[in-house]
Amino acid sequence: LLLLLLLLPSALSADCEVCTKVIDDVRLSLGDRKTWKSKPAVEAALEKYCKKKELGVREKKICYYLTPIKRDVAQPFSLGLPSDKVCKRLEKVNPEVCSVRFPVKTTNMSQKDYSKLRVKQLKSILADRGVECKGCAEKEEFVKRVMETDHMEEL
């Protein structure tokens, strides 16, 4: 129950979503809360997590950012801070940590659903598909371009 309470705030946070997931995964791999207090154990767990072959592209990118600053990761981690707070502290060391985000889910979305998204999210969808929207100024133009490229896979 305590573990669930620690992970709950990070699940609600949209900021630093990939970093938060990585920190949560490392925390789960450590298991016992007493192990969290050991900075060398936290650093070793981060190294082990980042060497996994089945990591996604975004998780690998976060590992690329976190591995050089693993001591900075271990400090707030060992204090028992929630994952989102750990990532916010790491953002001060490397601002790119919180810039990595998961792609917007677009499966089975209609035009009505796309029109509810923000332009920033529509641009993100197009960027994930490797498509530009040249000359797009209005939201409707971005929605139209996303609909046109709906068949394309994300990069």
Side-chain angles (χ1 to χ4, degrees):
L1 184 62
L2 181 62
L3 183 64
L4 183 62
L5 290 174
L6 285 172
L7 298 179
L8 185 62
S10 62
L12 299 175
S13 174
D15 292 341
C16 306
E17 58 190 350
V18 180
C19 175
T20 303
K21 180 195 179 296
V22 169
I23 297 296
D24 285 341
D25 290 348
V26 170
R27 185 166 278 149
L28 288 174
S29 73
L30 281 170
D32 186 23
R33 189 174 174 88
K34 291 179 183 176
T35 315
W36 299 0
K37 303 273 185 204
S38 169
K39 293 176 189 174
V42 172
E43 292 174 21
L46 181 64
E47 284 286 331
K48 184 178 178 184
Y49 176 83
C50 289
K51 288 183 180 179
K52 289 182 180 177
K53 298 277 188 228
E54 66 273 1
L55 288 180
V57 174
R58 287 163 178 81
E59 287 88 350
K60 286 180 183 176
K61 194 170 192 177
I62 288 295
C63 283
Y64 174 78
Y65 294 141
L66 294 185
T67 303
I69 58 170
K70 60 186 170 190
R71 290 197 189 274
D72 294 325
V73 174
Q75 173 60 31
F77 195 104
S78 66
L79 296 174
L81 288 178
S83 301
D84 58 337
K85 299 283 186 192
V86 172
C87 290
K88 285 294 182 187
R89 281 198 182 179
L90 295 174
E91 186 180 28
K92 294 175 185 171
V93 177
N94 186 349
E96 294 174 335
V97 167
C98 287
S99 67
V100 181
R101 301 195 186 269
F102 287 114
V104 178
K105 303 246 186 271
T106 60
T107 53
N108 301 326
M109 287 182 77
S110 66
Q111 182 170 358
K112 184 187 285 186
D113 294 332
Y114 284 125
S115 62
K116 292 179 183 176
L117 297 176
R118 295 175 178 260
V119 173
K120 185 176 183 177
Q121 292 172 311
L122 295 169
K123 286 180 180 180
S124 172
I125 292 169
L126 291 172
D128 287 342
R129 294 177 182 171
V131 177
E132 289 184 33
C133 192
K134 293 184 179 179
C136 295
E138 299 294 323
K139 182 176 180 176
E140 293 78 30
E141 295 169 334
F142 285 101
V143 171
K144 182 180 174 191
R145 187 69 173 139
V146 168
M147 293 294 290
E148 290 170 354
T149 60
D150 203 22
H151 66 281
M152 298 178 76
E153 292 286 324
E154 294 173 2
L155 294 177

